Amino acid sequence: MPSITKTRLLAFAAATMLAGAAMPAIAQDEPLTGELRIFLDTSNPAPRAAMEGMIARFQEMHPDLDIETTIIDREAYKTQLRNFLSANAPDVATWHAGNRMAPYVEAGLLEDVSDLWDEEVSRDLASTKGSMTIDGKQWGVPYTYYQWGVYYREDLFEQYGIAEPATWDEFKAACQTLLDNDVKCVSIGTKFLWTAAGWFDYVNLRTNGYEFHMDLTAGRVPWTDERVRQTFANWRELIDMGAYIDNHTSYSWQEALPFMVQGDAAMYLMGNFVVAPLREAGLTDDQIGFFQFPSIDADLPMAEEAPTDTFHIPAQAQNKEAARAFLRYVVDAENQSIINAELGQLPVNSQATIEDDEFLNAGFEMLSSAQGLSQFFDRDAPAEMAKAGMEGFQEFMVRPDNLDAILERLERVRQRVY
Amino acid sequence: MVAVATPPRGAKRKAKAPTAFGGYWRRNQLKLAPWLFLAPGAFFFALYVVAPILQSFQISLYEWDGLGTREYVGLRNYEELWWDDAFWTALRNNVVWLVLYLLAIPGGLFIALFLNQTVRGIRIYKSLFFFPFVISQVVVGLVFAWFYDPTFGLFNEILGVFGLGPVAVLGDPDYVTYGIIAAGLWPQTAYCMILYLTGLNAVDPEQIEAGRLDGAKGWRMLWYVVLPQLRPATFIAFVVTIIGALRSFDLVSVMTAGGPFGESRVLAYYMFEVALSEYGFRMGYGAAIAVVLFAIMMIYIAFFLTKMYRDEKGV
């Protein structure tokens, strides 16, 4: 927080200066001048380096531009965004696609950037255009997306003779084998709630399919529906087994990593960003494996989670000229190849090259054949529903017997929110 | 004749400003001056304390996300509070806080009595005991979060010596509030201690002497001679502890963020969550919670004010 106040003061000084001196560049070829203030939520080491690299390259292209970058802690950013968008906005800010950006679009805080989505961009970024579109206009550009799936300790699986499970029964059997050998099946840290939503999303996608899941997050299905209960019943099988590590409510997702690194737990359902810290912690690629979340209902086509991270221009930005140029650079195929190689994630631009990496290849293959892509529970559902839902999931993981009360509570929230 | 015409002292000044205002000012100077001196304070109090309170009342009647247009909903926010389990959990936790936080008062008293002696280096001991109150609540929260950590925390190491645990204090819905209160008691006890230490300086040695001659010792001495003289300190300790318990927020935020699944929320934190956090932005609902919290505080504030008023009259 203090860092923000500081930058605000700076920004205020800068803004007053700009107000007097801003000279809109007439043609695109004119060198970009003035100040470009970029707010980033990429506070984890790998994404931070990737973003700083990208900004440095952009700076090289526009040496006259005075770029000021502020990196804000990822969790804190989520609450600060709304403040800095409505007062003293930066010129460029990161955020997420889908329902997560809807309130800001509706409040008129984001700039309509449909002009950036020309024919070429629309073709190369077709896969995410839908999730960037509200009211027929585009409100930002995506720079990365990543697959979710089960990351596991290959060496432990080998040691206990477990094959990658493809079905729910195989998955449970694998868990049982691990538990019999005093290894917890799944590591998870639910302190910040959203990790539990990953489990709900996948069990629900596999139990009831993509359309149902999207209907549920869009509020078209009551939470007390029998099919929702079936999802929780399937999930409960793991909970009753003791598959999850103990005391997961005390940990963030990072704090739950050591269990997997030390071999106390064998699997982790997470986005691909988990690979970088696992490698850093000393695991080799021979020890880390990846498989698609197993199917539960064999008749259902597989849909996947693939959250998209994005860049936006706040409506109150001072230097929109430079901001547009920056966004244009963000979607550039070559740039997306570079940053996503560093991020360890997938480029959105279809012309970009994917780094030859075991996990990225697996993810790309999985996502290309997916029936549908969901963003994530807290991006598909409206904020209030997401909060109540994720809290309910966490409660369910600790006290599965409370399910009826949880579902009734969620249903009340659903009726109010939608 | 000449003598009569001699003007009295000061008449010259009076003659210079014979306006109605000047006369009024002279007549009421003593009554007005205090108000004039109070005016700047009163103005800012009204602007930054009273006005926001009234505004909270007003906002609590609206449905508003803080950005768009407000929609008047009457008392619906309060009605929703009534059905909101999370609100009752927060309220219950607030009561638990209120009761248990008061332990800081006897705790502080005994440490103060213990430290109220003349030993070499006593100032160092006193400052060491006072130390937790000086450091930020956020740091206290972090330290205790590590202390409670189920895998490497000191707390579970200690339990382990007795063959117990591990207990994830902050991850367990039954223990979490007590765990946070214990962390809060650490600095609060230090605060009460310093209040009592200053109070003990003012204890009349002659009365102690007299008590001793009459054969008072130990507990009786404390109860009948020392404590009555510490009443002002007790009163202040009581006030700051109650207020501290009601506005507990930082520890909850730092240690658990209200979790697991909202079991450690208190009203202040719930209000923040509903109105200002990542998934919140229901200003009206948040304001309604704030109004309830205000009403609870009002009970205590009214109690203290009447007590102070009576005490002053009594003297």
Side-chain angles (χ1 to χ4, degrees):
Chain A
M1 288 293 210
S3 67
I4 271 294
T5 345
K6 217 175 178 183
T7 30
R8 274 210 178 144
L9 281 176
L10 274 175
F12 178 71
T16 36
M17 270 154 50
L18 271 175
M23 286 280 193
I26 301 147
Q28 290 220 347
D29 301 311
E30 294 248 327
L32 292 167
T33 55
E35 196 181 21
L36 179 67
R37 295 168 61 233
I38 304 174
F39 279 19
L40 301 172
D41 68 346
T42 49
S43 57
N44 290 325
R48 184 184 178 130
M51 288 297 122
E52 280 170 349
M54 171 168 75
I55 291 166
R57 288 193 299 279
F58 184 71
Q59 175 80 78
E60 247 169 60
M61 292 159 59
H62 304 280
D64 295 337
L65 204 56
D66 183 13
I67 303 181
E68 187 196 320
T69 313
T70 308
I71 296 169
I72 300 165
D73 173 72
R74 200 172 169 86
E75 302 292 336
Y77 189 93
K78 295 171 181 172
T79 55
Q80 292 178 11
L81 174 74
R82 145 186 206 102
N83 292 341
F84 62 67
L85 280 187
S86 50
N88 228 321
D91 300 305
V92 174
T94 51
W95 194 232
H96 312 301
N99 224 323
R100 262 335 252 294
M101 70 175 185
Y104 305 102
V105 172
E106 278 156 25
L109 291 173
L110 294 182
E111 172 94 350
D112 171 9
V113 292
S114 305
D115 53 314
L116 290 178
W117 287 79
D118 54 26
E119 214 170 293
E120 191 190 329
V121 172
S122 295
R123 186 193 65 221
D124 293 346
L125 281 75
S127 60
T128 51
K129 190 172 181 182
S131 58
M132 300 307 303
T133 306
I134 292 176
D135 295 337
K137 294 172 192 144
Q138 287 77 46
W139 303 93
V141 295
Y143 65 93
T144 187
Y145 69 144
Y146 49 90
Q147 82 270 20
W148 271 64
V150 181
Y151 295 81
Y152 70 101
R153 284 287 298 269
E154 233 170 316
D155 48 343
L156 288 178
F157 270 46
E158 244 164 65
Q159 190 181 336
Y160 301 121
I162 306 166
E164 284 186 4
T167 66
W168 193 237
D169 287 330
E170 287 172 22
F171 187 77
K172 283 183 290 184
C175 266
Q176 198 53 56
T177 314
L178 288 164
L179 291 172
D180 291 344
N181 288 292
D182 277 336
V183 175
K184 281 288 182 183
C185 178
V186 180
S187 184
I188 186 172
T190 58
K191 187 174 180 185
F192 293 106
L193 307 175
W194 56 267
T195 45
W199 275 92
F200 172 80
D201 278 358
Y202 262 114
V203 177
N204 195 39
L205 281 170
R206 295 288 185 264
T207 308
N208 295 311
Y210 181 72
E211 278 85 18
F212 180 83
H213 185 68
M214 294 326 270
D215 282 349
L216 183 68
T217 50
R220 289 190 285 267
V221 183
W223 280 88
T224 44
D225 191 285
E226 205 43 50
R227 289 167 291 181
V228 179
R229 282 180 196 279
Q230 186 53 47
T231 298
F232 280 102
N234 288 339
W235 192 2
R236 181 164 184 168
E237 290 180 283
L238 292 185
I239 296 166
D240 287 348
M241 253 168 127
Y244 295 97
I245 58 166
D246 300 324
N247 306 321
H248 53 77
T249 52
S250 307
Y251 308 117
S252 66
W253 75 266
Q254 292 100 328
E255 286 166 337
L257 285 172
F259 294 96
M260 183 155 160
V261 175
Q262 289 158 13
D264 297 327
M267 298 189 243
Y268 207 143
L269 174 67
M270 197 34 84
N272 198 51
F273 52 82
V274 77
V275 173
L278 284 179
R279 281 177 180 153
E280 258 163 46
L283 293 184
T284 62
D285 281 10
D286 291 336
Q287 289 173 296
I288 316 170
F290 170 81
F291 62 84
Q292 191 176 20
F293 197 90
S295 91
I296 294 177
D297 182 341
D299 298 333
L300 284 172
M302 307 279 243
E304 306 296 334
E305 301 241 73
T308 310
D309 287 351
T310 54
F311 271 105
H312 303 266
I313 304 178
Q316 297 177 16
Q318 302 287 331
N319 197 349
K320 288 181 184 169
E321 183 79 20
R324 281 199 152 75
F326 184 73
L327 260 58
R328 223 172 278 126
Y329 183 63
V330 165
V331 295
D332 177 70
E334 193 195 330
N335 175 50
Q336 290 219 342
S337 311
I338 303 173
I339 56 170
N340 281 293
E342 286 173 37
L343 287 168
Q345 294 178 175
L346 295 166
V348 181
N349 191 318
S350 57
Q351 303 297 312
T353 48
I354 299 168
E355 206 204 14
D356 190 21
D357 171 280
E358 179 190 344
F359 304 104
L360 290 182
N361 290 335
F364 182 73
E365 200 181 314
M366 185 176 85
L367 294 184
S368 327
S369 59
Q371 180 217 5
L373 297 182
S374 60
Q375 287 289 318
F376 195 71
F377 186 77
D378 70 348
R379 301 186 190 184
D380 290 325
E384 212 188 325
M385 187 71 244
K387 167 81 175 167
M390 297 192 310
E391 228 169 74
F393 304 151
Q394 192 201 29
E395 182 174 352
F396 173 74
M397 287 183 73
V398 181
R399 292 178 171 168
D401 291 333
N402 289 3
L403 181 62
D404 286 331
I406 296 170
L407 290 182
E408 268 162 41
R409 197 170 67 223
L410 294 188
E411 177 57 18
R412 269 206 305 278
V413 175
R414 181 188 77 92
Q415 286 177 1
R416 196 184 61 238
V417 170
Y418 296 100
Chain B
M1 287 289 276
V2 178
V4 173
T6 308
R9 261 187 181 213
K12 203 174 170 191
R13 211 169 26 162
K14 193 183 175 187
K16 260 191 179 172
T19 56
F21 175 75
Y24 179 80
W25 173 241
R26 280 175 69 85
R27 263 178 281 122
N28 298 293
Q29 201 169 7
L30 276 180
K31 264 191 263 167
L32 287 177
W35 290 108
L36 277 179
F37 282 114
L38 277 176
F43 173 73
F44 285 107
F45 185 76
L47 187 67
Y48 291 112
V49 178
V50 180
I53 290 174
L54 296 177
Q55 214 172 10
S56 298
F57 278 104
Q58 189 208 358
I59 293 175
S60 73
L61 303 178
Y62 288 85
E63 183 81 59
W64 184 38
D65 68 356
L67 295 172
T69 49
R70 299 181 193 190
E71 184 199 343
Y72 182 79
V73 293
L75 293 175
R76 207 170 71 198
N77 283 326
Y78 293 94
E79 190 198 328
E80 197 186 322
L81 271 185
W82 182 261
W83 298 110
D84 187 350
D85 299 337
F87 168 73
W88 292 108
T89 309
L91 190 63
R92 185 201 66 206
N93 283 339
N94 254 123
V95 173
V96 175
W97 268 86
L98 265 183
V99 174
L100 290 184
Y101 222 46
L102 291 177
L103 288 176
I105 298 174
L109 173 65
F110 285 108
I111 296 176
L113 291 170
F114 174 67
L115 289 177
N116 191 39
Q117 41 192 319
T118 36
V119 188
R120 214 180 135 78
I122 189 69
R123 276 165 192 252
I124 294 178
Y125 304 135
K126 281 183 185 172
S127 25
L128 281 179
F129 273 93
F130 188 55
F131 175 68
F133 184 69
V134 180
I135 56 179
S136 148
Q137 293 259 308
V138 176
V139 178
V140 173
L142 279 177
V143 167
F144 268 81
W146 293 327
F147 175 68
Y148 288 137
D149 187 286
T151 36
F152 58 77
L154 190 60
F155 180 69
N156 281 299
E157 297 287 324
I158 297 170
L159 284 186
V161 171
F162 300 101
L164 299 168
V167 181
V169 178
L170 297 182
D172 187 298
D174 296 322
Y175 302 140
V176 61
T177 297
Y178 303 102
I180 301 174
I181 294 173
L185 278 176
W186 191 45
Q188 191 65 24
T189 306
Y191 192 16
C192 292
M193 176 203 79
I194 212 79
L195 290 173
Y196 277 119
L197 273 179
T198 45
L200 283 170
N201 279 338
V203 167
D204 186 359
E206 281 180 18
Q207 285 190 28
I208 305 278
E209 200 63 20
R212 207 163 270 160
L213 286 176
D214 287 341
K217 265 190 258 172
W219 289 105
R220 287 169 69 86
M221 171 75 96
L222 174 68
W223 190 256
Y224 291 107
V225 183
V226 179
L227 270 189
Q229 296 190 61
L230 286 176
R231 267 188 63 188
T234 310
F235 179 69
I236 295 292
F238 200 69
V239 174
V240 295
T241 307
I242 293 277
I243 302 285
L246 282 174
R247 30 166 256 184
S248 51
F249 171 88
D250 5 24
L251 286 175
V252 177
S253 169
V254 169
M255 294 173 77
T256 63
F261 43 91
E263 281 295 317
S264 65
R265 276 190 196 119
V266 290
L267 285 177
Y269 189 77
Y270 190 41
M271 175 194 76
F272 162 80
E273 239 185 334
V274 167
L276 302 166
S277 76
E278 181 184 352
Y279 302 105
F281 306 124
R282 301 185 60 206
M283 298 299 166
Y285 198 53
I289 300 170
V291 168
V292 172
L293 188 57
F294 177 74
I296 299 172
M297 283 206 182
M298 250 349 248
I299 299 172
Y300 287 93
I301 293 168
F303 167 72
F304 292 133
L305 283 182
T306 45
K307 186 170 158 40
M308 268 164 80
Y309 184 68
R310 265 198 232 129
D311 285 359
E312 265 174 33
K313 260 194 157 179
V315 174

